[in-house]
């Protein structure tokens, strides 16, 4: 589905109206395609801390060019600042000194990443200063404009060598609709990451289960995981069997038709994965439904059906795959939450409850998973799909514009975040919930 407003403002008359009325003028976002470099331009490095010396080598290993300064007249595609050396509030001036001269020298759709130390692992003035980085990055994300993104990555000292996959995602067009986020590396469980033998196909040899895979966001997740080398096993309800079979045939994948809320669904899924694939490496809980009503008008079936599909089923399926040993060592569990579960939404008490519960599932599992297994969640905001196309025009337009990028995201934006979590190189990325929402202005 397309953004008609964005198409209109790119026309001569649209540009004139936008200029005269001060309307939002969203920048078309760059998105990654196979064969493209991760970063098409120069990354300028700044700051002084634990990672300063290693960053050039890490980026070079990803095929990303970096430098510590910018030639006269040149522009930067991305900025990376190592703030791990800031130990008190006075030291925060280093942020202003580095970024201010460079902000007008950025290319379109630039990337900014600030690297810090988890505040909870520091004390006194250093803890204060590291926590202050969140205010800086979230605010800069709302200032940067021109399709730019800004993120904060807290790296535990023991995980300094496990940042490559996260930098590859956050510095590339794969993170087009992710901004204002705080990512923690090494905060829970493993502090190392597996080597990625093939950056173009990091999931080669892996098996990925995707629920709700026949259409929308689930379809795009399946496509991106297949692009990255995984054998995809798609799951969906009988009503979507035809679409599911067609998609899995196109992707050389496998399919399983069932209702994930059925009493025996977890056992059937586990049995299928064990018998046909010898286990599973990536589990994506994407299936979800909405049954919107204000709480005063909420019926029992509207409430219970949403909780059953969106929350209870992922919890039961995950537990079965873990207890049965079907989830392979070093596995990845990824939940699809929602910004509604973070900031709430009118008429969605049932949906928001279920999606907040998905975040709770991440929190409850991240410290107990065995064998290098990780659990994370993506929380989409307004994503343009056939479902959102049916939303009334005025509501849809407001929903798309109330973020720092003044536009809705695409299903591929969610899928790319899932693929980052799924990568073998993301072994130290555990316990995170990352919003894919263009940095919403309200609620979250």
């Amino acid at each position: 589905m397309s953004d008609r407003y964005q198409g209109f403002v790119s026309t001569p008359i649209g540009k004139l109206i936008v200029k005269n009325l001060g309307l939002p003028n969203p920048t078309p976002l760059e998105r990654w395609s196979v064969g493209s470099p991760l970063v098409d331009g120069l990354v300028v490095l700044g700051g002084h801390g634990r990672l300063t010396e290693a960053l050039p080598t890490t980026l070079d290993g990803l095929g990303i060019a970096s430098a510590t300064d910018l030639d006269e007249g040149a522009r930067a595609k991305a900025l990376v600042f190592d703030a791990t050396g800031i130990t008190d509030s006075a030291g925060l001036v280093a942020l202003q000194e580095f970024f201010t001269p460079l902000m007008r020298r950025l290319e379109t759709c630039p990337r900014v990443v600030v690297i810090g130390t988890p505040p909870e692992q520091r004390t006194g003035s250093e803890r204060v200063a590291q926590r202050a980085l969140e205010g800086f990055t979230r605010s800069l994300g709302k200032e940067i404009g021109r399709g730019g993104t800004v993120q904060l990555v807290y790296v535990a000292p023991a995980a300094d060598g496990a940042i490559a996959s996260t930098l590859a995602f956050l510095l590339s067009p794969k993170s087009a609709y992710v901004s204002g986020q705080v990512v923690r590396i090494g905060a829970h469980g493993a502090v190392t990451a597996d080597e990625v033998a093939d950056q173009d196909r990091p999931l080669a040899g892996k098996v990925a289960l995707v629920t709700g895979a026949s259409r929308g966001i689930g379809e795009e997740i399946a496509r991106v995981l297949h692009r990255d080398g995984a054998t995809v096993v798609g799951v969906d309800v009988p009503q979507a069997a035809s679409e599911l079979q067609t998609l899995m045939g196109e992707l050389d994948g496998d399919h399983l038709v069932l209702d994930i809320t059925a009493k025996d669904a977890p056992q059937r899924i586990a049995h299928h994965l064990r018998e046909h694939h010898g286990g599973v490496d990536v589990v994506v809980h994407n299936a979800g439904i909405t049954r919107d009503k204000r709480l005063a008008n909420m019926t029992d079936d509207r409430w219970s059906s949403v909780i059953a599909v969106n929350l209870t089923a992922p919890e039961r399926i995950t537990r079965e795959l873990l207890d049965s040993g079907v989830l392979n060592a070093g596995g990845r569990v990824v939940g699809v939450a929602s910004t509604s579960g973070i900031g709430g939404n009118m008429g969605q008490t049932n949906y928001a409850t279920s999606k907040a519960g998905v975040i709770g599932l991440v929190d409850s599992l991240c410290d107990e998973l065995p064998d290098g297994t990780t659990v994370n969640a993506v929380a989409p905001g307004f994503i343009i799909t056939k479902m959102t196309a049916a939303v009334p025009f005025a509501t849809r337009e407001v929903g798309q514009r109330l973020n720092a990028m003044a536009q809705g995201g695409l299903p591929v934006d969610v899928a790319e975040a899932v693929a980052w979590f799924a990568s073998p190189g993301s072994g130290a990325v555990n316990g995170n919930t990352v919003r894919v929402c263009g940095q919403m202005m309200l609620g979250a």
Side-chain angles (χ1 to χ4, degrees), residues 228-254:
D228 283 0
T231 297
V232 179
V233 181
V235 176
D236 221 318
V237 293
Q239 300 93 304
S242 178
E243 294 169 283
L244 179 66
Q245 292 172 21
T246 299
L247 176 63
M248 290 302 116
E250 180 184 342
L251 302 182
D252 295 322
D254 188 12

Side-chain angles (χ1 to χ4, degrees), residues 68-156:
T68 55
D69 55 20
L70 200 55
D71 293 339
E72 185 176 352
R75 289 183 172 272
K77 188 61 177 180
L79 307 175
V80 177
F81 186 88
D82 181 2
T84 60
I86 297 177
T87 58
D88 56 34
S89 58
L92 293 168
V93 70
L95 296 166
Q96 184 270 324
E97 291 174 343
F98 174 74
F99 285 103
T100 296
L102 294 172
M103 295 312 297
R104 290 187 174 89
R105 302 182 65 185
L106 296 175
E107 296 183 16
T108 303
C109 296
R111 300 285 181 263
V112 171
V113 174
V114 175
I115 302 174
T117 303
E120 60 272 17
Q121 296 186 6
R122 291 295 182 260
T123 59
S125 295
E126 185 173 358
R127 181 168 185 164
V128 172
Q130 290 297 313
R131 180 59 178 81
L133 298 175
E134 294 191 32
F136 176 81
T137 52
R138 292 189 195 279
S139 295
L140 184 56
K142 294 180 178 180
E143 290 182 12
I144 192 169
R146 301 177 68 229
T149 67
V150 182
Q151 327 289 350
L152 172 59
V153 181
Y154 281 133
V155 183

Side-chain angles (χ1 to χ4, degrees), residues 275-286:
E275 294 299 311
H276 294 274
H277 301 281
V280 67
D281 302 287
V282 180
V283 178
V284 184
H285 294 296
N286 166 75

Side-chain angles (χ1 to χ4, degrees), residues 46 251 272 351:
L251 302 182
H272 184 90
Y351 183 76

